[in-house]
Amino acid sequence: MNRVTIESKFVSNDALFELKHAHELKIAKELNSFLLEVEFPWKALGKSLTQFVESIVQKIPLEERIQGQVSPHAYIENRDSVVICEGAIVEPGAYISGPTFIGPKAVVRHGAYIRGSVYISEGAIVGHSSECKGAILLPNAKAAHFNYVGDSILGYDCNLGAGTKLANLKINHSNIILRLDNKKVDSGLKKFGAILGNRAQTGCNSVTNPGTIMLPEVVLLPNQTALGILKR
């Protein structure tokens, strides 16, 4: 797919994640407020996301932070900085490091690797051999099989096909540049994976280049490589 420029209003958090319908989509109030405050998705990544997740964790009493069904064979590092809500499931062999928030009915499957600064919303899935770091998964988002989700946001009901990788660092380690409103916009980030709007999907073994944005309901076909902003 070719790189295109697009009006910035189409890549705001409100447009990508339908925040006006947050209640209907079961987006938590605190997450909805955070996304509205920063306007654009790349501004919700990096230090901003770490601070947000830490603040959410700190609001919950220490003795109430682990409420879900957690296998004794899962490994939780920095346990005091991890929240696992009632109804969530963490399977044997999963590795979780804080700060991390795992919402109700979310599932972290065997072999998942959650490296911290991660917010997993209600009903979202991090599956076998999937790695998440510095990421937000909105409700019902799925990274179910052999996925890399680094410095990225998955919108409501997104699905990553098996083997999809969201690359987050350019080979030359320079800042990620976006093309918006017919001009170049510096994201200010060296690590910036992909942003998937609500109900976007990727096919198996697809790859997104750093800074890729997929508008809502866009489909990236199997074995394809994405660059820039993808629209229907």
Side-chain angles (χ1 to χ4, degrees):
M1 296 186 180
N2 295 325
R3 184 178 296 195
V4 299
T5 184
I6 197 168
E7 291 181 64
S8 56
K9 66 181 181 181
F10 293 112
V11 296
S12 70
N13 288 329
D14 192 22
L16 289 167
F17 309 125
E18 303 171 70
L19 298 180
K20 290 183 175 64
H21 302 286
H23 179 73
E24 177 185 344
L25 301 179
K26 296 185 178 181
I27 301 172
K29 290 182 179 179
E30 65 271 14
L31 178 59
N32 189 59
S33 297
F34 172 61
L35 292 173
L36 284 171
E37 286 173 4
V38 294
E39 187 176 10
F40 294 109
W42 55 92
K43 295 184 180 295
L45 300 174
K47 291 182 180 179
S48 295
L49 178 54
T50 299
Q51 292 169 356
F52 168 69
V53 177
E54 287 176 341
S55 71
I56 295 301
V57 171
Q58 291 302 315
K59 289 178 182 177
I60 299 174
L62 186 61
E63 66 276 10
E64 298 177 10
R65 291 180 187 170
I66 308 295
Q67 297 287 324
Q69 181 182 330
V70 181
S71 168
H73 302 293
Y75 186 84
I76 303 177
E77 190 172 7
N78 306 319
R79 195 178 185 91
D80 290 350
S81 62
V82 174
V83 169
I84 302 174
C85 294
E86 184 175 359
I89 296 173
V90 178
E91 294 183 353
Y95 176 100
I96 301 169
S97 180
T100 289
F101 177 92
I102 301 173
K105 301 180 182 178
V107 180
V108 180
R109 293 176 177 163
H110 167 75
Y113 181 24
I114 298 176
R115 291 172 49 195
S117 300
V118 173
Y119 187 105
I120 301 172
S121 298
E122 179 173 346
I125 295 174
V126 181
H128 176 65
S129 293
S130 290
E131 177 180 352
C132 287
K133 167 255 179 189
I136 299 172
L137 278 68
L138 270 67
N140 298 330
K142 302 170 186 68
H145 317 279
F146 303 97
N147 305 124
Y148 178 68
V149 185
D151 302 282
S152 299
I153 303 177
L154 303 184
Y156 171 84
D157 203 26
C158 280
N159 186 71
L160 300 184
T164 292
K165 304 297 189 290
L166 310 181
N168 65 336
L169 180 66
K170 294 171 68 174
I171 290 177
N172 63 6
H173 292 200
S174 62
N175 281 8
I176 310 301
I177 305 297
L178 304 164
R179 285 171 169 77
L180 299 170
D181 302 320
N182 291 310
K183 60 184 179 182
K184 293 182 179 181
V185 177
D186 188 341
S187 70
L189 299 171
K190 290 185 178 180
K191 290 192 175 182
F192 172 9
I195 308 296
L196 277 66
N198 288 354
R199 296 174 294 276
Q201 299 185 59
T202 68
C204 293
N205 294 322
S206 56
V207 176
T208 61
N209 277 274
T212 295
I213 299 178
M214 295 173 60
L215 299 191
E217 301 183 7
V218 165
V219 175
L220 178 63
L221 296 176
N223 300 310
Q224 297 294 304
T225 299
L227 178 67
I229 299 171
L230 281 61
K231 60 182 181 179
R232 297 180 71 187

PDB file of all heavy atoms in Angstrom, residues 170-190:
ATOM      1  N   LYS A 170      12.706   2.503  13.635  1.00  0.00           N
ATOM      2  CA  LYS A 170      13.315   2.582  12.313  1.00  0.00           C
ATOM      3  C   LYS A 170      14.755   2.063  12.362  1.00  0.00           C
ATOM      4  O   LYS A 170      15.425   2.129  13.398  1.00  0.00           O
ATOM      5  CB  LYS A 170      13.286   4.028  11.817  1.00  0.00           C
ATOM      6  CG  LYS A 170      11.882   4.553  11.559  1.00  0.00           C
ATOM      7  CD  LYS A 170      11.856   6.036  11.287  1.00  0.00           C
ATOM      8  CE  LYS A 170      12.505   6.396   9.964  1.00  0.00           C
ATOM      9  NZ  LYS A 170      12.335   7.833   9.643  1.00  0.00           N
ATOM     10  N   ILE A 171      15.230   1.593  11.249  1.00  0.00           N
ATOM     11  CA  ILE A 171      16.585   1.040  11.194  1.00  0.00           C
ATOM     12  C   ILE A 171      17.626   2.078  11.585  1.00  0.00           C
ATOM     13  O   ILE A 171      18.627   1.771  12.240  1.00  0.00           O
ATOM     14  CB  ILE A 171      16.868   0.464   9.791  1.00  0.00           C
ATOM     15  CG1 ILE A 171      16.029  -0.801   9.567  1.00  0.00           C
ATOM     16  CG2 ILE A 171      18.349   0.149   9.608  1.00  0.00           C
ATOM     17  CD1 ILE A 171      16.157  -1.418   8.204  1.00  0.00           C
ATOM     18  N   ASN A 172      17.388   3.350  11.208  1.00  0.00           N
ATOM     19  CA  ASN A 172      18.355   4.402  11.555  1.00  0.00           C
ATOM     20  C   ASN A 172      18.060   5.061  12.906  1.00  0.00           C
ATOM     21  O   ASN A 172      18.713   6.037  13.283  1.00  0.00           O
ATOM     22  CB  ASN A 172      18.414   5.460  10.452  1.00  0.00           C
ATOM     23  CG  ASN A 172      17.094   6.188  10.265  1.00  0.00           C
ATOM     24  OD1 ASN A 172      16.142   5.999  11.030  1.00  0.00           O
ATOM     25  ND2 ASN A 172      17.026   7.031   9.241  1.00  0.00           N
ATOM     26  N   HIS A 173      17.060   4.569  13.625  1.00  0.00           N
ATOM     27  CA  HIS A 173      16.704   5.024  14.971  1.00  0.00           C
ATOM     28  C   HIS A 173      16.289   6.506  15.011  1.00  0.00           C
ATOM     29  O   HIS A 173      16.363   7.146  16.062  1.00  0.00           O
ATOM     30  CB  HIS A 173      17.849   4.790  15.958  1.00  0.00           C
ATOM     31  CG  HIS A 173      18.101   3.329  16.227  1.00  0.00           C
ATOM     32  ND1 HIS A 173      18.782   2.878  17.338  1.00  0.00           N
ATOM     33  CD2 HIS A 173      17.766   2.216  15.526  1.00  0.00           C
ATOM     34  CE1 HIS A 173      18.869   1.554  17.310  1.00  0.00           C
ATOM     35  NE2 HIS A 173      18.246   1.130  16.211  1.00  0.00           N
ATOM     36  N   SER A 174      15.855   7.057  13.913  1.00  0.00           N
ATOM     37  CA  SER A 174      15.406   8.449  13.887  1.00  0.00           C
ATOM     38  C   SER A 174      13.938   8.549  14.305  1.00  0.00           C
ATOM     39  O   SER A 174      13.220   7.537  14.375  1.00  0.00           O
ATOM     40  CB  SER A 174      15.585   9.040  12.492  1.00  0.00           C
ATOM     41  OG  SER A 174      14.802   8.341  11.544  1.00  0.00           O
ATOM     42  N   ASN A 175      13.475   9.774  14.578  1.00  0.00           N
ATOM     43  CA  ASN A 175      12.084   9.971  14.975  1.00  0.00           C
ATOM     44  C   ASN A 175      11.121   9.543  13.871  1.00  0.00           C
ATOM     45  O   ASN A 175      11.431   9.649  12.681  1.00  0.00           O
ATOM     46  CB  ASN A 175      11.832  11.438  15.314  1.00  0.00           C
ATOM     47  CG  ASN A 175      12.323  11.815  16.694  1.00  0.00           C
ATOM     48  OD1 ASN A 175      12.986  11.031  17.382  1.00  0.00           O
ATOM     49  ND2 ASN A 175      12.013  13.022  17.124  1.00  0.00           N
ATOM     50  N   ILE A 176       9.958   9.094  14.282  1.00  0.00           N
ATOM     51  CA  ILE A 176       8.927   8.686  13.342  1.00  0.00           C
ATOM     52  C   ILE A 176       8.209   9.929  12.817  1.00  0.00           C
ATOM     53  O   ILE A 176       7.741  10.762  13.595  1.00  0.00           O
ATOM     54  CB  ILE A 176       7.908   7.740  14.006  1.00  0.00           C
ATOM     55  CG1 ILE A 176       8.619   6.599  14.736  1.00  0.00           C
ATOM     56  CG2 ILE A 176       6.907   7.226  12.980  1.00  0.00           C
ATOM     57  CD1 ILE A 176       9.500   5.747  13.877  1.00  0.00           C
ATOM     58  N   ILE A 177       8.138  10.051  11.490  1.00  0.00           N
ATOM     59  CA  ILE A 177       7.515  11.198  10.838  1.00  0.00           C
ATOM     60  C   ILE A 177       6.181  10.776  10.219  1.00  0.00           C
ATOM     61  O   ILE A 177       6.098   9.754   9.540  1.00  0.00           O
ATOM     62  CB  ILE A 177       8.430  11.783   9.740  1.00  0.00           C
ATOM     63  CG1 ILE A 177       9.810  12.142  10.317  1.00  0.00           C
ATOM     64  CG2 ILE A 177       7.781  12.992   9.080  1.00  0.00           C
ATOM     65  CD1 ILE A 177       9.788  13.208  11.382  1.00  0.00           C
ATOM     66  N   LEU A 178       5.149  11.579  10.453  1.00  0.00           N
ATOM     67  CA  LEU A 178       3.831  11.347   9.870  1.00  0.00           C
ATOM     68  C   LEU A 178       3.586  12.348   8.763  1.00  0.00           C
ATOM     69  O   LEU A 178       4.164  13.436   8.751  1.00  0.00           O
ATOM     70  CB  LEU A 178       2.743  11.493  10.939  1.00  0.00           C
ATOM     71  CG  LEU A 178       2.889  10.605  12.175  1.00  0.00           C
ATOM     72  CD1 LEU A 178       2.006  11.112  13.289  1.00  0.00           C
ATOM     73  CD2 LEU A 178       2.526   9.173  11.834  1.00  0.00           C
ATOM     74  N   ARG A 179       2.704  11.986   7.834  1.00  0.00           N
ATOM     75  CA  ARG A 179       2.308  12.898   6.766  1.00  0.00           C
ATOM     76  C   ARG A 179       0.836  13.246   6.945  1.00  0.00           C
ATOM     77  O   ARG A 179      -0.047  12.441   6.664  1.00  0.00           O
ATOM     78  CB  ARG A 179       2.564  12.268   5.397  1.00  0.00           C
ATOM     79  CG  ARG A 179       4.043  12.242   5.019  1.00  0.00           C
ATOM     80  CD  ARG A 179       4.317  11.425   3.778  1.00  0.00           C
ATOM     81  NE  ARG A 179       5.666  11.604   3.284  1.00  0.00           N
ATOM     82  CZ  ARG A 179       6.748  11.053   3.812  1.00  0.00           C
ATOM     83  NH1 ARG A 179       6.630  10.281   4.873  1.00  0.00           N
ATOM     84  NH2 ARG A 179       7.955  11.268   3.309  1.00  0.00           N
ATOM     85  N   LEU A 180       0.607  14.459   7.464  1.00  0.00           N
ATOM     86  CA  LEU A 180      -0.738  14.924   7.765  1.00  0.00           C
ATOM     87  C   LEU A 180      -0.946  16.323   7.211  1.00  0.00           C
ATOM     88  O   LEU A 180      -0.026  17.147   7.253  1.00  0.00           O
ATOM     89  CB  LEU A 180      -0.970  14.945   9.286  1.00  0.00           C
ATOM     90  CG  LEU A 180      -0.852  13.606  10.027  1.00  0.00           C
ATOM     91  CD1 LEU A 180      -0.870  13.832  11.531  1.00  0.00           C
ATOM     92  CD2 LEU A 180      -1.978  12.673   9.620  1.00  0.00           C
ATOM     93  N   ASP A 181      -2.146  16.594   6.709  1.00  0.00           N
ATOM     94  CA  ASP A 181      -2.475  17.930   6.194  1.00  0.00           C
ATOM     95  C   ASP A 181      -1.446  18.400   5.164  1.00  0.00           C
ATOM     96  O   ASP A 181      -1.061  19.575   5.143  1.00  0.00           O
ATOM     97  CB  ASP A 181      -2.580  18.937   7.345  1.00  0.00           C
ATOM     98  CG  ASP A 181      -3.622  18.534   8.379  1.00  0.00           C
ATOM     99  OD1 ASP A 181      -4.690  18.042   7.979  1.00  0.00           O
ATOM    100  OD2 ASP A 181      -3.353  18.694   9.584  1.00  0.00           O
ATOM    101  N   ASN A 182      -0.956  17.452   4.346  1.00  0.00           N
ATOM    102  CA  ASN A 182       0.020  17.744   3.294  1.00  0.00           C
ATOM    103  C   ASN A 182       1.340  18.304   3.813  1.00  0.00           C
ATOM    104  O   ASN A 182       2.009  19.085   3.135  1.00  0.00           O
ATOM    105  CB  ASN A 182      -0.578  18.704   2.263  1.00  0.00           C
ATOM    106  CG  ASN A 182      -1.666  18.041   1.448  1.00  0.00           C
ATOM    107  OD1 ASN A 182      -1.477  16.950   0.905  1.00  0.00           O
ATOM    108  ND2 ASN A 182      -2.821  18.685   1.364  1.00  0.00           N
ATOM    109  N   LYS A 183       1.702  17.906   5.007  1.00  0.00           N
ATOM    110  CA  LYS A 183       3.010  18.295   5.531  1.00  0.00           C
ATOM    111  C   LYS A 183       3.534  17.193   6.440  1.00  0.00           C
ATOM    112  O   LYS A 183       2.786  16.298   6.858  1.00  0.00           O
ATOM    113  CB  LYS A 183       2.914  19.614   6.296  1.00  0.00           C
ATOM    114  CG  LYS A 183       1.977  19.581   7.493  1.00  0.00           C
ATOM    115  CD  LYS A 183       1.875  20.957   8.135  1.00  0.00           C
ATOM    116  CE  LYS A 183       0.921  20.940   9.336  1.00  0.00           C
ATOM    117  NZ  LYS A 183       0.787  22.291   9.931  1.00  0.00           N
ATOM    118  N   LYS A 184       4.825  17.253   6.721  1.00  0.00           N
ATOM    119  CA  LYS A 184       5.442  16.265   7.601  1.00  0.00           C
ATOM    120  C   LYS A 184       5.283  16.705   9.059  1.00  0.00           C
ATOM    121  O   LYS A 184       5.491  17.871   9.390  1.00  0.00           O
ATOM    122  CB  LYS A 184       6.927  16.112   7.265  1.00  0.00           C
ATOM    123  CG  LYS A 184       7.171  15.495   5.895  1.00  0.00           C
ATOM    124  CD  LYS A 184       8.665  15.332   5.641  1.00  0.00           C
ATOM    125  CE  LYS A 184       8.915  14.690   4.277  1.00  0.00           C
ATOM    126  NZ  LYS A 184      10.366  14.507   4.014  1.00  0.00           N
ATOM    127  N   VAL A 185       4.917  15.747   9.886  1.00  0.00           N
ATOM    128  CA  VAL A 185       4.725  16.005  11.315  1.00  0.00           C
ATOM    129  C   VAL A 185       5.624  15.067  12.103  1.00  0.00           C
ATOM    130  O   VAL A 185       5.547  13.839  11.944  1.00  0.00           O
ATOM    131  CB  VAL A 185       3.252  15.788  11.730  1.00  0.00           C
ATOM    132  CG1 VAL A 185       3.087  15.978  13.224  1.00  0.00           C
ATOM    133  CG2 VAL A 185       2.338  16.723  10.956  1.00  0.00           C
ATOM    134  N   ASP A 186       6.477  15.637  12.927  1.00  0.00           N
ATOM    135  CA  ASP A 186       7.379  14.847  13.760  1.00  0.00           C
ATOM    136  C   ASP A 186       6.611  14.359  14.982  1.00  0.00           C
ATOM    137  O   ASP A 186       6.104  15.151  15.772  1.00  0.00           O
ATOM    138  CB  ASP A 186       8.574  15.703  14.191  1.00  0.00           C
ATOM    139  CG  ASP A 186       9.659  14.896  14.890  1.00  0.00           C
ATOM    140  OD1 ASP A 186       9.383  13.772  15.366  1.00  0.00           O
ATOM    141  OD2 ASP A 186      10.800  15.396  14.974  1.00  0.00           O
ATOM    142  N   SER A 187       6.528  13.038  15.142  1.00  0.00           N
ATOM    143  CA  SER A 187       5.811  12.481  16.291  1.00  0.00           C
ATOM    144  C   SER A 187       6.550  12.727  17.604  1.00  0.00           C
ATOM    145  O   SER A 187       5.949  12.619  18.678  1.00  0.00           O
ATOM    146  CB  SER A 187       5.612  10.983  16.106  1.00  0.00           C
ATOM    147  OG  SER A 187       6.855  10.291  16.211  1.00  0.00           O
ATOM    148  N   GLY A 188       7.852  13.019  17.514  1.00  0.00           N
ATOM    149  CA  GLY A 188       8.656  13.175  18.720  1.00  0.00           C
ATOM    150  C   GLY A 188       9.073  11.852  19.339  1.00  0.00           C
ATOM    151  O   GLY A 188       9.686  11.823  20.407  1.00  0.00           O
ATOM    152  N   LEU A 189       8.759  10.764  18.647  1.00  0.00           N
ATOM    153  CA  LEU A 189       9.043   9.426  19.180  1.00  0.00           C
ATOM    154  C   LEU A 189      10.006   8.667  18.286  1.00  0.00           C
ATOM    155  O   LEU A 189       9.848   8.655  17.066  1.00  0.00           O
ATOM    156  CB  LEU A 189       7.745   8.619  19.293  1.00  0.00           C
ATOM    157  CG  LEU A 189       6.648   9.160  20.203  1.00  0.00           C
ATOM    158  CD1 LEU A 189       5.374   8.356  20.009  1.00  0.00           C
ATOM    159  CD2 LEU A 189       7.082   9.116  21.660  1.00  0.00           C
ATOM    160  N   LYS A 190      10.968   8.018  18.885  1.00  0.00           N
ATOM    161  CA  LYS A 190      11.810   7.079  18.148  1.00  0.00           C
ATOM    162  C   LYS A 190      11.174   5.697  18.117  1.00  0.00           C
ATOM    163  O   LYS A 190      11.418   4.924  17.191  1.00  0.00           O
ATOM    164  CB  LYS A 190      13.204   7.011  18.773  1.00  0.00           C
ATOM    165  CG  LYS A 190      14.026   8.274  18.574  1.00  0.00           C
ATOM    166  CD  LYS A 190      15.438   8.111  19.092  1.00  0.00           C
ATOM    167  CE  LYS A 190      16.253   9.373  18.826  1.00  0.00           C
ATOM    168  NZ  LYS A 190      17.646   9.238  19.316  1.00  0.00           N
TER     169      LYS A 190
END
